[in-house]
Amino acid sequence: MTPQNITVLGATGSIGVSTLDVIRRHPDRYKAFALCAHSQVDKLFAQCLEFQPRFAVLRDAALADDLAARCRQAGLTTEVRHGMAALVELASLPEVDTVMAAIVGAAGLEPTLAAARAGKRVLLANKEVLVMAGELFMHAVRAHGATLLPVDSEHNAIFQALPADFSRGLSACGVERILLTASGGPFRDTPLTDLQQVTPEQACAHPNWVMGRKISVDSATMMNKGLEVIEARWLFDAAPAMIQVVVHPQSVIHSAVQYADGSVLAQLGNPDMRTPIAYAMAWPERIAAGVEALDLFRIGRLDFFAPDCERFRCLQLAYDALAAGGTAPAILNAANEVAVAAFLEGRLPFLGIARLNEAVLAALPAGPEGSLADVLGADAEARRMAAAMVAGARFA
């Protein structure tokens, strides 16, 4: 068996690290061809030492020069590059079989779209790609014969619970509803009046999952779940009314599908991202992921609640942006990235995240999502407006 060459976009993040762990367990099946990171030079160098990729990429030239010097000194043949053009190239080279798209935020859009246009097997962990450019991206997948497999635990669970021919239409397959589960984050039981004083450390302390700071804050505001609603709409061609968010604190049921005959099919497992990563990497086969088997006796109970959209205003804003269509989701995503960064830097209170998102979404009219330039233009304008609002202390 010739190993699959995998480009890992976001190699030093939590998804990238878990992806490399699966590769480590199956060296006969997978080869880390290119490892791409934002700025964690030490971590990327350690990965280069172990996996010896053909290419490594960092954000800017100075960081890349540092990594290249270390690789030369260690006797590695890894070629080091920098910048967006390198990411795009290494997501679409002929030698690449599979691309793990795990760059956080809007920065992952261009290389992931390039992978789709090159007809690659795309393992999608970057939900912002479909939030910002869902119609554009799905068109590229179909037009260029790419294989798209979801890595988000919820969408991976839905994919497992749907029939193999769901692309002919959910209703035609007897699907009535997608049940998108949410842990509720660290503040699911916190009164709204107590959320104003939340600190970044509290917001990043997720009760179930180990994640990066940005996605942890998104989980705390439930914006992450709102973005996943938009992602599910495009992945499964589902009408927004078919997607129901269900708060499930234990994070054991990762999502479910409700059928016309009364059946509900769910995927269960321990909260470990190596499960959906391994499923996507090996699909349609299944391979060992290093994840402990689920012990139902130890769990004992499973709870479910309706989400509180007053406490978690960001969830409703995502539905609103989806209904508005066009570039509205891209505008919301951009505003949220600015808002979360400001919160983590202590320049915006926790509840200010939702207020800022709502203000930007209301102020910028959505345009058509006709091209990548349209999407990136809306993204840039929303970021400028959000940054100006933060600087003006409108939501302090």
Coordinates of all heavy atoms in Angstrom, one line a residue, residues 1-8 19 23 26-34 94-100 120-123 147 149 277-285 287:
M1 N 0.8 -1.2 0.0 CA 0.0 0.0 0.0 C 0.9 1.2 0.0 O 1.8 1.4 0.8 CB -0.9 0.0 1.2 CG -1.8 1.3 1.3 SD -2.7 1.4 2.9 CE -3.8 -0.1 2.7
T2 N 0.6 2.1 -1.0 CA 1.4 3.4 -1.0 C 0.7 4.4 -0.1 O -0.5 4.6 -0.2 CB 1.4 4.0 -2.4 OG1 2.0 3.1 -3.3 CG2 2.1 5.3 -2.5
P3 N 1.4 5.0 0.9 CA 0.8 5.9 1.8 C 0.2 7.1 1.1 O 0.7 7.6 0.1 CB 2.0 6.3 2.8 CG 3.0 5.3 2.6 CD 2.9 4.8 1.2
Q4 N -0.9 7.6 1.6 CA -1.5 8.8 1.2 C -0.7 10.0 1.6 O -0.3 10.1 2.8 CB -2.9 9.0 1.7 CG -4.0 8.1 1.2 CD -5.3 8.5 1.8 OE1 -5.7 9.7 2.0 NE2 -6.1 7.5 2.2
N5 N -0.4 11.0 0.7 CA 0.3 12.2 1.1 C -0.7 13.2 1.6 O -1.7 13.5 0.9 CB 1.0 12.8 -0.2 CG 2.3 12.1 -0.5 OD1 3.0 11.6 0.4 ND2 2.7 12.1 -1.7
I6 N -0.5 13.7 2.8 CA -1.5 14.6 3.4 C -0.8 15.9 3.7 O 0.3 16.0 4.3 CB -2.0 14.0 4.8 CG1 -2.7 12.6 4.5 CG2 -2.9 15.0 5.5 CD1 -3.3 12.0 5.7
T7 N -1.5 17.0 3.3 CA -1.1 18.3 3.7 C -2.0 18.7 4.8 O -3.2 18.7 4.8 CB -1.3 19.3 2.5 OG1 -0.3 19.1 1.5 CG2 -1.2 20.8 3.0
V8 N -1.3 19.1 5.9 CA -2.1 19.5 7.1 C -2.0 21.0 7.3 O -1.0 21.6 7.6 CB -1.5 18.9 8.4 CG1 -2.3 19.2 9.6 CG2 -1.4 17.3 8.2
T19 N -4.5 15.0 14.1 CA -4.3 14.4 12.8 C -3.0 13.7 12.8 O -2.8 12.6 12.3 CB -4.4 15.5 11.7 OG1 -5.7 16.1 11.8 CG2 -4.2 14.9 10.4
I23 N -1.8 9.8 12.0 CA -0.7 9.5 11.0 C 0.3 8.6 11.7 O 0.8 7.7 11.2 CB -0.2 10.8 10.4 CG1 -1.2 11.4 9.5 CG2 1.1 10.4 9.6 CD1 -0.8 12.8 8.9
H26 N -0.5 5.1 12.0 CA -0.7 4.3 10.7 C 0.3 4.8 9.6 O 0.0 5.3 8.6 CB -2.1 4.5 10.2 CG -3.2 4.1 11.2 ND1 -3.6 2.7 11.2 CD2 -3.9 4.7 12.1 CE1 -4.5 2.6 12.2 NE2 -4.7 3.8 12.7
P27 N 1.6 4.6 9.9 CA 2.6 5.1 9.0 C 2.6 4.4 7.6 O 3.1 4.9 6.6 CB 4.0 4.8 9.7 CG 3.7 3.7 10.7 CD 2.2 4.0 11.1
D28 N 2.0 3.2 7.6 CA 1.9 2.5 6.3 C 0.8 3.1 5.4 O 0.8 2.8 4.2 CB 1.6 1.0 6.6 CG 0.3 0.8 7.4 OD1 0.1 1.6 8.3 OD2 -0.5 -0.1 7.2
R29 N -0.1 3.8 6.0 CA -1.3 4.4 5.3 C -1.1 5.8 4.9 O -1.7 6.3 3.9 CB -2.6 4.2 6.1 CG -3.0 2.8 6.4 CD -4.3 2.7 7.1 NE -5.4 3.2 6.3 CZ -6.4 2.5 5.9 NH1 -6.5 1.2 6.2 NH2 -7.4 3.0 5.2
Y30 N -0.4 6.6 5.8 CA -0.4 8.1 5.6 C 1.0 8.6 5.8 O 1.8 8.1 6.6 CB -1.3 8.7 6.7 CG -2.7 8.1 6.7 CD1 -3.1 7.3 7.8 CD2 -3.6 8.3 5.7 CE1 -4.4 6.8 7.8 CE2 -4.9 7.8 5.7 CZ -5.3 7.0 6.8 OH -6.5 6.5 6.8
K31 N 1.3 9.7 5.0 CA 2.5 10.4 5.1 C 2.2 11.9 5.2 O 1.5 12.4 4.4 CB 3.3 10.1 3.8 CG 4.5 11.0 3.5 CD 5.6 10.9 4.5 CE 6.8 11.8 4.2 NZ 7.8 11.8 5.3
A32 N 2.8 12.5 6.2 CA 2.7 14.0 6.3 C 3.6 14.6 5.2 O 4.8 14.7 5.3 CB 3.1 14.4 7.7
F33 N 2.9 15.1 4.2 CA 3.7 15.6 3.0 C 4.0 17.1 3.2 O 5.1 17.5 2.9 CB 2.8 15.5 1.8 CG 3.4 16.1 0.5 CD1 4.3 15.4 -0.2 CD2 3.0 17.3 0.0 CE1 4.8 15.9 -1.4 CE2 3.5 17.9 -1.1 CZ 4.5 17.1 -1.8
A34 N 3.1 17.9 3.8 CA 3.3 19.3 4.1 C 2.7 19.7 5.4 O 1.5 19.3 5.6 CB 2.8 20.2 3.0
P94 N 0.0 18.2 -7.4 CA -0.4 16.9 -7.8 C -0.1 15.8 -6.9 O -0.8 14.8 -6.8 CB 0.3 16.8 -9.2 CG 0.6 18.2 -9.6 CD 0.8 19.0 -8.4
E95 N 1.1 15.9 -6.2 CA 1.5 14.8 -5.3 C 0.6 14.7 -4.0 O 0.6 13.7 -3.3 CB 2.9 15.1 -4.8 CG 3.9 15.2 -5.9 CD 4.2 16.6 -6.2 OE1 3.3 17.4 -6.5 OE2 5.4 17.0 -6.3
V96 N -0.2 15.7 -3.7 CA -1.1 15.7 -2.5 C -2.3 14.9 -2.8 O -3.1 15.2 -3.8 CB -1.4 17.1 -2.1 CG1 -2.4 17.1 -1.0 CG2 -0.1 17.9 -1.7
D97 N -2.6 13.9 -1.9 CA -3.9 13.2 -2.0 C -5.0 13.8 -1.2 O -6.1 13.9 -1.6 CB -3.6 11.7 -1.6 CG -2.5 11.0 -2.4 OD1 -2.7 10.9 -3.6 OD2 -1.5 10.6 -1.8
T98 N -4.6 14.2 0.0 CA -5.6 14.6 1.0 C -5.1 15.9 1.7 O -3.9 16.1 2.0 CB -5.8 13.5 2.1 OG1 -6.2 12.3 1.5 CG2 -6.8 13.9 3.2
V99 N -6.1 16.8 2.0 CA -5.8 18.0 2.7 C -6.7 18.1 3.9 O -7.9 18.0 3.8 CB -6.1 19.3 1.8 CG1 -5.9 20.6 2.6 CG2 -5.2 19.3 0.5
M100 N -6.0 18.2 5.1 CA -6.7 18.4 6.3 C -6.8 20.0 6.5 O -5.8 20.6 6.7 CB -5.9 17.8 7.5 CG -6.5 18.3 8.9 SD -8.2 17.9 9.2 CE -8.1 16.1 9.5
K120 N -9.1 17.5 -4.7 CA -8.5 16.8 -3.6 C -9.6 16.1 -2.7 O -10.7 16.5 -2.7 CB -7.6 17.6 -2.8 CG -6.4 18.3 -3.5 CD -5.5 17.3 -4.2 CE -4.4 17.9 -4.9 NZ -3.6 17.0 -5.7
R121 N -9.1 15.2 -1.9 CA -9.9 14.7 -0.8 C -9.7 15.7 0.4 O -8.7 15.9 0.9 CB -9.4 13.3 -0.4 CG -10.2 12.6 0.7 CD -9.6 11.3 1.1 NE -10.2 10.6 2.1 CZ -11.0 9.5 1.9 NH1 -11.1 9.0 0.7 NH2 -11.5 8.8 2.9
V122 N -10.8 16.5 0.7 CA -10.7 17.6 1.6 C -11.4 17.2 2.9 O -12.6 16.8 3.0 CB -11.4 18.9 1.1 CG1 -11.3 20.0 2.1 CG2 -10.8 19.3 -0.2
L123 N -10.6 17.1 4.0 CA -11.1 16.9 5.3 C -11.3 18.2 6.0 O -10.4 18.9 6.4 CB -10.1 16.0 6.1 CG -9.5 14.8 5.4 CD1 -8.6 14.0 6.3 CD2 -10.6 13.9 4.8
T147 N -13.6 15.3 -3.1 CA -14.3 14.5 -2.1 C -14.2 15.3 -0.8 O -13.2 15.7 -0.3 CB -13.6 13.1 -1.8 OG1 -13.6 12.4 -3.0 CG2 -14.3 12.4 -0.7
L149 N -15.2 15.6 3.2 CA -15.6 14.9 4.4 C -15.5 15.8 5.6 O -14.4 16.4 5.8 CB -14.6 13.7 4.5 CG -14.7 12.6 3.4 CD1 -13.5 11.7 3.4 CD2 -16.0 11.8 3.5
I277 N -11.6 12.5 13.0 CA -10.4 12.6 12.1 C -10.1 11.3 11.5 O -9.9 11.2 10.3 CB -9.2 13.2 12.9 CG1 -9.4 14.7 13.3 CG2 -7.9 13.0 12.1 CD1 -8.4 15.2 14.3
A278 N -10.0 10.3 12.3 CA -9.7 8.9 11.7 C -10.8 8.5 10.8 O -10.5 7.8 9.8 CB -9.5 7.9 12.9
Y279 N -12.0 8.7 11.1 CA -13.1 8.3 10.2 C -13.0 9.0 8.9 O -13.2 8.4 7.8 CB -14.5 8.6 10.9 CG -15.6 8.2 10.1 CD1 -16.0 6.8 10.1 CD2 -16.3 9.0 9.2 CE1 -17.1 6.4 9.3 CE2 -17.4 8.6 8.5 CZ -17.8 7.2 8.5 OH -18.8 6.8 7.7
A280 N -12.7 10.3 8.9 CA -12.6 11.0 7.6 C -11.4 10.6 6.9 O -11.4 10.5 5.6 CB -12.6 12.5 7.9
M281 N -10.3 10.4 7.6 CA -9.0 10.0 6.9 C -9.2 8.6 6.2 O -8.7 8.4 5.1 CB -7.9 9.9 7.9 CG -7.4 11.3 8.3 SD -6.1 11.3 9.6 CE -4.8 10.4 8.8
A282 N -9.9 7.7 6.8 CA -9.9 6.3 6.3 C -11.2 6.0 5.5 O -11.3 5.0 4.9 CB -9.8 5.3 7.5
W283 N -12.2 6.9 5.6 CA -13.5 6.6 4.9 C -13.3 6.1 3.5 O -12.5 6.6 2.8 CB -14.3 7.9 4.9 CG -15.7 7.8 4.3 CD1 -16.8 7.4 4.9 CD2 -16.0 8.0 2.9 NE1 -17.8 7.4 4.0 CE2 -17.4 7.8 2.8 CE3 -15.3 8.5 1.8 CZ2 -18.1 7.9 1.6 CZ3 -16.0 8.6 0.6 CH2 -17.3 8.3 0.5
P284 N -14.1 5.0 3.2 CA -15.2 4.4 3.9 C -14.8 3.3 4.9 O -15.7 2.6 5.4 CB -16.1 3.8 2.8 CG -15.0 3.5 1.7 CD -14.0 4.5 1.8
E285 N -13.5 3.1 5.1 CA -13.1 2.2 6.1 C -13.1 2.8 7.5 O -13.3 4.0 7.7 CB -11.7 1.7 5.8 CG -11.5 1.0 4.4 CD -10.1 0.6 4.2 OE1 -9.5 0.0 5.0 OE2 -9.6 1.1 3.1
I287 N -10.5 2.8 11.1 CA -9.2 2.4 11.6 C -9.1 2.8 13.1 O -9.9 3.7 13.6 CB -8.1 3.1 10.8 CG1 -8.2 4.6 10.9 CG2 -8.0 2.6 9.4 CD1 -7.0 5.4 10.2

